[in-house]
């Protein structure tokens, strides 16, 4: 602000400067309708009080509501002279009397009351309505109920009556009756701070103040922090308790107007949560909500709290609330009941996917489940680490976003087995992540998976998987506008995709290339710490502050690592095979090969080469020499060392089964012997 002393003047001047329908009264902190001359013969409505309650009261000046307002300093009643000047101004415009609408506070009653008496002494017809809608106190004090957000509803009712041409006395009588059917209760996480001062009271971090006023004064009760549902229930219980002297006469079957008011410091997100809880709680009590107003109507500076106002209505009163107004702060709302309205529409049925010729068998489907489970476990374990990395870019939610995706995938897997084909799995995952993951990560993964699924509808060999990676990366770049080197998740995926180009070559090996791809992705993710962000939210942050790897790239590399580890643990070799005959997958993991990870493979897999099973008579042989096994197949030193370290003894049946692989017939029936090719403990053959 420019100054503490001038903040109220500056605020009112700014509002008038931006609203052509308002004018300031020279020499006073008074705002009036700019079309005063059009009110000739009608009742004028003036209200006001201390500043700091914006948009009250100046935001409610307009046709169908207030004629003008008189503002005091922050939380201070306006001067009598300014109130009297406003009364004189509207009287000179030819109005048929003035109604003063005043909140029930001592200073307001005194100053507005004194101005009223002076105006009446001058022959100006003036009446005053004092609004007290506070439902906090169970036993009324001498001062009565405080005036709170319900005052705004009185502005609306009185404005509609005045616009309809009703006389001063009748308006006063009708409005006084409405105040008796209304109540307001506030709750807050803390007090507020008058400019230049400290908060008026302190709350523990686990406490909430119930029944506080709009000037930072303490409430009637302190309660422990609870959920929004529980706090709203407590508020409504308190407001409608018939034993309380300030209760609202609401019972099952009542029709009400609900006002959910932001006291100044709540986000719209929180306000929506409170509104939802209030609607559900009231309707659960059999109360019909005729109208609901949600927003900031009467604040208390930056107070992080909310107030609920209930007004019991009938059809004539509802018509007054629905009447047209030009006041800028009054919300535009539908003139239909909230209760009884259908609030949801059935979602369109999902299109049926065409049959997929690439559907895999049950074993591959189980392997897919294992892959997804490992990915979920990995992402959940990285949540805090990714959030910490992401805080450098501002919001710190990357880990939470990926964990949300992991939990959604787990729920999906619990509902039933995934589809049989890779293309369908990727398509379903893309929809799931778009709906559940959220954020730019959800959109980018959704794009990637949707595009990657398309090539896999026709084939699932290694070149097609490489093409799927290309398609996914292309889609991410097209819509995400990121490029390699921009310090995004694309950096890790791009590095992996470059390595996976080798899958398009004849004789390409699944694990050897995938392992290189994962290592490249991890290296690229780590390298993002030295990059200047060129896309995403991090691009708005100074590069000097970005000294950690990009969390999206770290997450993408971790996903690829998880996929590799599961495939390795399941064992097998995947290669291109003979040109024209398609790929061959050979799993070297019979029930009789019981080696622990990282040396062995799943005991549930079967051993086959060119469709030939290992004969059953080889299943029951005794132990044989580990050295002969290793020498026979020239296995990698890493495997030999590990087996020696684990003091493993290889059964003779295993050795004989593996030896059986040395000689077999090729696709044309010719006998052929192939030299084994070794890679990280897996036994493979160049022709398969």
């Amino acid at each position: 602000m420019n100054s503490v002393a001038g903040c109220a003047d500056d605020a009112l001047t700014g509002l008038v400067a931006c609203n052509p329908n308002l004018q300031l009264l020279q020499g006073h902190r008074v705002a009036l309708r700019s079309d005063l001359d059009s009110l000739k013969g009608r009742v004028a409505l003036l209200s006001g009080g201390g500043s700091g309650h914006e948009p009250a009261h100046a935001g409610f000046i307009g046709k169908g509501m207030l004629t003008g307002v008189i503002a005091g300093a922050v939380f201070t009643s306006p001067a009598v002279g300014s109130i009297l000047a406003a009364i004189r101004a509207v009287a000179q415009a030819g109005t048929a009397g003035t109604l003063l609408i005043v909140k029930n506070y001592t200073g307001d009653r005194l100053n507005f009351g004194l101005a009223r008496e002076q105006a009446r002494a001058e022959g100006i017809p003036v009446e005053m309505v004092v609004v007290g809608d506070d439902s906090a106190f169970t036993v009324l004090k001498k001062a009565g109920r405080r005036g709170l957000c319900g005052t705004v509803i009185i502005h609306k009712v009185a404005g509609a009556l005045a616009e309809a041409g009703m006389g001063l006395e009748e308006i006063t009588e009708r409005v006084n009756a409405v105040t008796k059917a209304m109540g307001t209760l506030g709750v807050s996480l803390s007090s507020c701070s008058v400019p230049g001062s400290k908060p008026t009271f302190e709350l523990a971090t686990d406490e909430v103040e119930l029944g506080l006023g709009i000037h930072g004064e303490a409430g009637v009760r302190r309660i422990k922090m609870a959920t929004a549902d529980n706090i709203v229930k407590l508020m409504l219980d308190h407001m409608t308790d018939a034993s309380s002297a300030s209760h609202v006469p609401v019972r099952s079957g009542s029709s009400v107007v609900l006002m959910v008011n932001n006291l100044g410091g709540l986000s719209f997100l929180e306000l929506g949560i409170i509104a939802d809880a209030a609607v559900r709680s009231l309707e659960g009590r059999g109360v019909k909500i005729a109208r609901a107003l949600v927003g900031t109507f009467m604040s208390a500076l930056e107070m992080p709290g909310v107030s609920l106002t209930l007004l019991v209505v009938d059809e004539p009163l509802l018509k007054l609330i629905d009447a047209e107004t030009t006041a800028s702060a009054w919300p535009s709302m539908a003139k239909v009941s909230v209760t009884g309205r259908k609030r949801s529409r059935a979602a369109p049925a999902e299109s049926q996917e065409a049959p997929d010729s690439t559907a895999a068998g049950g074993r591959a489907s189980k392997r897919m489940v294992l892959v997804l489970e490992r990915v979920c476990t990995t992402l959940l374990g990285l949540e805090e680490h990714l959030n910490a990395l992401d805080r450098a870019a501002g919001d710190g939610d990357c880990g939470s976003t990926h964990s949300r995706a992991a939990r959604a995938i787990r729920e999906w897997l619990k509902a039933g087995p995934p589809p049989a084909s890779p293309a369908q799995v990727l398509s379903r995952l893309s929809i799931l992540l778009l709906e559940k993951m959220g954020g730019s990560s959800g959109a980018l993964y959704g794009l990637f998976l949707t595009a990657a699924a398309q090539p896999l509808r026709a084939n699932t060999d290694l070149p097609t998987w490489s093409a799927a990676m290309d398609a996914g990366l292309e889609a991410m770049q097209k819509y995400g506008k990121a490029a390699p080197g921009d310090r995004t998740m694309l950096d890790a995926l791009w590095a992996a995709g470059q390595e996976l180009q080798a899958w398009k070559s004849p004789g390409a090996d699944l694990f050897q290339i995938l392992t290189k791809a994962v290592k490249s992705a991890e290296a690229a993710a780590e390298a993002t710490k030295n990059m200047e962000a060129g896309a995403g939210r991090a691009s708005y942050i100074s590069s000097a502050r970005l000294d950690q790897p990009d969390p999206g790239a770290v997450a993408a590399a971790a996903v690829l690592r998880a996929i590799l580890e599961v495939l390795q643990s399941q064992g097998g070799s995947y290669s291109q095979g003979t040109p024209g005959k398609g790929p061959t997958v050979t799993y070297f993991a019979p029930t009789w090969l019981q080696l622990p990870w990282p040396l062995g493979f799943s005991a549930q897999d079967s051993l086959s080469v060119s469709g030939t099973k290992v004969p059953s008579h080889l299943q029951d042989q005794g132990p044989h020499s580990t050295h002969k096994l290793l020498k026979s197949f020239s296995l990698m030193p890493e495997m030999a060392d590990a087996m020696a370290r684990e003091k493993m003894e290889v059964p003779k049946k295993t050795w004989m089964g593996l030896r059986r692989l040395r000689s077999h017939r090729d696709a044309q029936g010719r006998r052929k012997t192939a030299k084994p090719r070794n890679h990280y403990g897996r036994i493979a053959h160049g022709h398969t």
Side-chain angles (χ1 to χ4, degrees), residues 20 128 176 201 219 245 314 317 334 341 413 428 523 551 553 594 610 625 641:
M128 187 167 83
N176 275 323
F201 63 85
D314 54 18
L317 182 53
R341 182 177 60 87
L413 293 176
R428 297 283 180 85
Q594 306 279 340
S610 301
S625 166
D641 294 343

Side-chain angles (χ1 to χ4, degrees), residues 305-429:
V306 65
S307 67
L308 300 179
T309 299
L310 296 177
L311 170 65
V312 180
V313 294
D314 54 18
E315 283 303 316
L317 182 53
L318 206 54
K319 288 182 179 179
L320 297 175
I321 292 173
D322 286 341
E324 294 297 325
T325 179
T326 61
S328 60
W330 183 261
S332 175
M333 59 181 179
K335 300 174 182 178
V336 294
S337 175
V338 171
T339 298
R341 182 177 60 87
K342 189 175 181 180
R343 295 173 187 156
S344 64
R345 179 187 296 270
E350 292 186 17
S351 59
Q352 296 295 319
E353 292 188 80
D356 198 321
S357 61
T358 64
R363 187 176 308 282
S365 181
K366 291 179 181 178
R367 187 173 293 106
M368 182 68 73
V369 171
L370 292 175
V371 167
L372 293 175
E373 285 286 0
R374 176 68 68 87
V375 168
C376 292
T377 301
T378 298
L379 293 179
L380 289 169
L382 285 173
E383 180 174 4
E384 288 304 318
H385 177 59
L386 295 177
N387 280 342
L389 293 177
D390 198 31
R391 289 188 190 102
D395 55 359
D397 68 344
C398 182
S400 301
T401 300
H402 282 79
S403 291
R404 191 159 55 243
R407 286 188 286 270
I409 293 172
R410 280 187 168 177
E411 289 300 316
W412 177 58
L413 293 176
K414 287 180 182 178
S421 81
Q424 290 178 345
V425 170
L426 297 190
S427 294
R428 297 283 180 85
L429 284 174

Side-chain angles (χ1 to χ4, degrees), residues 56 91 190 195 348 669:
S190 70

Side-chain angles (χ1 to χ4, degrees), residues 35-366:
D35 61 345
L36 275 185
D37 293 338
S38 67
L39 297 177
K40 188 173 182 178
R42 292 179 180 170
V43 174
L45 306 177
L46 297 177
S47 188
S51 298
H53 303 301
E54 290 72 21
H57 297 276
F60 300 107
I61 298 175
K63 182 180 179 180
M65 289 193 78
L66 296 177
T67 308
V69 302
I70 308 94
V74 174
F75 293 170
T76 303
S77 297
V80 175
S82 292
I83 300 171
L84 184 58
I87 295 173
R88 289 170 177 163
V90 297
Q92 289 174 5
T95 57
T98 300
L99 176 62
L100 304 177
I101 302 173
V102 182
K103 299 188 298 297
N104 187 28
Y105 292 99
T106 302
D108 289 347
R109 289 199 317 271
L110 289 173
N111 290 1
F112 276 89
L114 182 54
R116 176 200 178 205
E117 294 302 321
Q118 291 180 352
R120 285 165 67 97
E122 296 175 8
I124 303 173
V126 181
E127 294 294 340
M128 187 167 83
V129 170
V130 179
V131 181
D133 57 316
D134 185 11
S135 292
F137 297 98
T138 57
V139 178
L140 289 183
K141 298 183 179 181
K142 184 177 181 180
R145 300 166 70 184
R146 295 172 293 190
L148 301 174
C149 191
T151 307
V152 174
I153 297 181
I154 299 302
H155 293 162
K156 184 65 181 68
V157 173
L161 292 171
E163 192 65 29
M166 190 171 287
L168 178 59
E169 291 185 2
E170 189 176 357
I171 293 176
T172 303
E173 183 180 344
R174 291 280 298 272
V175 166
N176 275 323
V178 173
T179 61
K180 295 180 174 62
M182 181 172 61
T184 299
L185 186 68
V187 65
S188 182
L189 302 175
S190 70
S191 179
C192 57
S193 302
V194 175
S197 302
K198 295 181 179 180
T200 52
F201 63 85
E202 298 288 343
L203 282 173
T205 55
D206 63 342
E207 288 183 327
V208 176
E209 191 82 6
L210 179 70
L212 73 174
I214 55 173
H215 302 99
E217 63 269 43
V220 296
R221 183 176 162 196
R222 288 188 179 178
I223 59 176
K224 289 295 183 181
M225 182 71 71
T227 63
D229 283 353
N230 288 338
I231 288 178
V232 167
K233 179 181 182 302
L234 179 64
M235 294 174 72
L236 294 175
D237 287 345
H238 189 97
M239 295 173 68
T240 59
D241 184 358
S243 66
S244 171
S246 61
H247 78 281
V248 190
V250 173
R251 57 187 62 87
S252 180
S254 295
S255 182
V256 303
V257 169
L258 166 67
M259 179 176 275
V260 182
N261 173 56
N262 183 2
L263 286 172
L266 283 193
S267 64
F268 281 97
L269 179 84
E270 293 165 297
L271 206 60
I273 293 170
I274 294 292
D276 173 59
V279 169
R280 285 188 287 105
S281 184
L282 286 169
E283 291 181 340
R285 300 163 190 248
V287 177
K288 177 184 176 182
I289 304 173
R291 302 288 186 272
L293 297 85
V294 182
T296 305
F297 306 103
M298 183 174 288
S299 65
L301 294 172
E302 86 289 11
M303 183 180 287
V306 65
S307 67
L308 300 179
T309 299
L310 296 177
L311 170 65
V312 180
V313 294
D314 54 18
E315 283 303 316
L317 182 53
L318 206 54
K319 288 182 179 179
L320 297 175
I321 292 173
D322 286 341
E324 294 297 325
T325 179
T326 61
S328 60
W330 183 261
S332 175
M333 59 181 179
K335 300 174 182 178
V336 294
S337 175
V338 171
T339 298
R341 182 177 60 87
K342 189 175 181 180
R343 295 173 187 156
S344 64
R345 179 187 296 270
E350 292 186 17
S351 59
Q352 296 295 319
E353 292 188 80
D356 198 321
S357 61
T358 64
R363 187 176 308 282
S365 181
K366 291 179 181 178

Side-chain angles (χ1 to χ4, degrees), residues 569-595:
S569 69
Q570 291 295 294
S573 177
Y574 192 128
S575 60
Q576 287 297 94
T578 305
K581 295 187 177 298
T584 300
V585 181
T586 303
Y587 295 104
F588 302 99
T591 55
W592 39 268
L593 182 52
Q594 306 279 340
L595 305 183

